[in-house]
């Protein structure tokens, strides 16, 4: 059950698409043409409160307040890294917490947002996995992270990139994620170009097939990380259900716009998947695909049973891929000092403290 599915709760305006908002206003006596005006306040100007909708008559604002609520996460903490990356800890209406990251000029300003509280995928190298899945985010909560980051950082006008690479598996919360993407890309709202949105997934094959038919098409990044089924299953357990051959077949069938490519993310882990033989096998798997590989040297953390390769090992792997004519980039880690880098998002406070759970798993006494 969603937190706001309780009797008497009003509808969340933050998760309505423009066409739905038009219909929803009528019972409140607000003319449908005002929907665009209200939608712009919420998604373009990122206001948090009816009172800020200054070109709307007072009676309309009162009617809105009676019929709807506007869910916006609260900022519970904000950490700034020495490299300018900022990590935001958000508290949701039910007290649960999620994280989002602002990565300036990489090369565009990028927001990394969450789609779930925790994650169910259990990837062996990822800290978020330690939380387990607490619940899905609503579309309003996904969009809310972007609204809040934009207003807090004063980035209402400039184009931004959005990567669905925070907590959670976006295709495991399919409907809310797609709804959020439709809202974020709507020209009358936040108007983010779909070309500036990247969805990163472990590769839930049936969901990929659905995604291929969506009207709003984000860029696709696949978390591959392994080059044999045995190796990939040990790192990304969902591979047991959707093995490499099926996943890559779904990627081959995926419609790509001209000049667009699928990004394959590959977390490089010392002694596990970082050999030259792995690089060659990876190149072989991607033959015939319009692909690029993004190598992410592991961000090590306590509780993660893996090590980061040395700089020389990372180089060797990248070069072996390039030698096989694969386009490769090595992801520079940002925000590691505030634990905002890939796979380092873990909320340690709150009622069902994942921190305590993690401490338990690690055998620590004071989590
Ligand atoms: N669930 C989605 C999106 C979230 S993770 C997915 O799996 O794609 C975004 C990227 O960070 C993924 O490629 C993920 O595998 C990677 N990642 C997770 N933990 C990491 C770690 N400890 N070091 C480096 N990258 C990590």
């Amino acid at each position: 059950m969603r937190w706001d599915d309780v009797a008497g709760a009003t509808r969340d305006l933050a998760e309505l698409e423009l066409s739905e908002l038009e219909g929803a206003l009528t019972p409140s006596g607000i003319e449908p043409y005002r929907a665009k005006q209200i939608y712009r306040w919420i998604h373009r100007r990122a206001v948090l409160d009816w009172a800020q909708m200054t070109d709307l008559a007072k009676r309309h604002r009162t009617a809105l307040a009676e019929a709807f609520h506007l869910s916006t996460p609260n900022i519970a903490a904000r950490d700034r890294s020495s490299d300018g990356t900022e990590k935001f800890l958000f508290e949701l209406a039910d007290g649960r917490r999620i994280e989002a990251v602002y990565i300036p000029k990489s090369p565009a300003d990028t927001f990394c947002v969450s789609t779930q509280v925790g994650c169910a995928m259990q990837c062996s190298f990822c800290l978020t996995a330690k939380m387990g899945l607490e619940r899905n985010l609503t579309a309003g909560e996904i969009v809310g992270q972007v609204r809040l980051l934009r207003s807090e950082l004063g980035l209402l006008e400039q184009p931004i990139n959005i990567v669905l690479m925070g907590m959670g598996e976006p295709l495991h919360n399919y409907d809310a994620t797609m709804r959020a993407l439709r809202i974020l890309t709507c020209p009358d709202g936040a108007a983010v170009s779909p070309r500036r949105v990247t969805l990163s997934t472990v590769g839930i094959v049936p969901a990929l097939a659905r995604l291929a038919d969506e009207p709003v098409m984000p860029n696709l990044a696949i978390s591959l990380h392994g080059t044999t089924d045995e190796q990939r299953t040990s790192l990304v357990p969902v591979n047991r259900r959707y093995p490499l051959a099926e996943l890559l077949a779904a990627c081959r069938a995926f419609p790509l716009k001209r000049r667009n490519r699928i990004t394959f993310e590959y977390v490089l882990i010392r002694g596990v998947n970082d050999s030259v033989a792995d690089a060659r096998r990876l190149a072989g798997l991607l033959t015939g695909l319009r692909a690029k590989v993004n190598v992410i040297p592991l961000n090590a953390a306590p509780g993660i049973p893996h090590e980061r390769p040395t700089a020389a090992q990372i180089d060797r792997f990248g070069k072996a891929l390039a030698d096989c004519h694969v386009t490769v980039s090595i992801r520079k880690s940002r925000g590691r000092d505030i634990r905002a880098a890939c796979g380092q998002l873990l909320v340690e406070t709150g009622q069902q403290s994942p921190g305590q759970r993690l401490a338990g798993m690690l055998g620590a006494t004071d989590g």
Side-chain angles (χ1 to χ4, degrees), residues 28-43:
S28 303
I30 304 177
E31 304 88 331
Y33 76 86
R34 295 202 186 274
K36 269 193 188 161
Q37 198 178 342
I38 296 167
Y39 202 74
R40 266 198 295 271
W41 276 116
I42 300 172
H43 298 291

Side-chain angles (χ1 to χ4, degrees), residues 67-241:
F68 303 98
H69 67 278
L70 184 61
S71 80
T72 310
N74 281 320
I75 298 176
R78 183 173 169 173
D79 281 321
R80 194 162 198 277
S81 158
S82 52
D83 65 22
T85 301
E86 287 192 61
K87 183 166 79 169
F88 289 78
L89 177 67
F90 290 122
E91 185 167 277
L92 307 172
D94 65 352
R96 289 184 199 269
R97 293 173 168 212
I98 52 166
E99 290 177 320
V101 182
Y102 163 60
I103 311 148
K105 306 279 171 289
S106 58
D109 286 328
T110 300
F111 295 167
C112 174
V113 303
S114 296
T115 53
Q116 297 180 312
V117 187
C119 186
M121 296 299 122
Q122 296 296 321
C123 299
S124 67
F125 47 84
C126 181
L127 267 188
T128 305
K130 306 282 178 200
M131 294 174 67
L133 177 64
E134 297 197 6
R135 71 164 168 86
N136 281 330
L137 295 184
T138 66
E141 289 167 335
I142 298 171
V143 172
Q145 297 167 65
V146 175
R147 284 172 49 226
L148 215 55
L149 285 176
R150 276 192 137 168
S151 67
E152 277 294 309
L153 296 161
L155 295 175
L156 290 175
E157 301 302 329
Q158 44 277 72
I160 48 155
N161 288 352
I162 296 174
V163 296
L164 302 179
M165 296 188 188
M167 292 181 163
E169 165 50 47
L171 296 187
H172 191 217
N173 183 16
Y174 191 90
D175 292 335
T177 297
M178 289 307 137
R179 171 179 279 272
L181 291 188
R182 287 192 298 272
I183 294 172
L184 288 168
T185 55
C186 174
D188 292 302
V192 177
S193 161
R195 280 174 308 161
R196 290 186 168 275
V197 180
T198 300
L199 184 153
S200 176
T201 174
V202 291
I204 298 174
V205 168
L208 276 176
R210 263 181 94 185
L211 183 65
D213 287 330
E214 291 288 343
V216 174
M217 185 62 74
N219 299 309
L220 187 59
I222 302 283
S223 289
L224 203 65
H225 311 321
T227 57
T228 65
D229 278 319
E230 191 188 358
Q231 184 192 51
R232 187 168 191 260
T233 298
S234 74
L235 300 171
V236 183
V238 78
N239 186 72
R240 204 171 287 129
R241 188 109 172 256

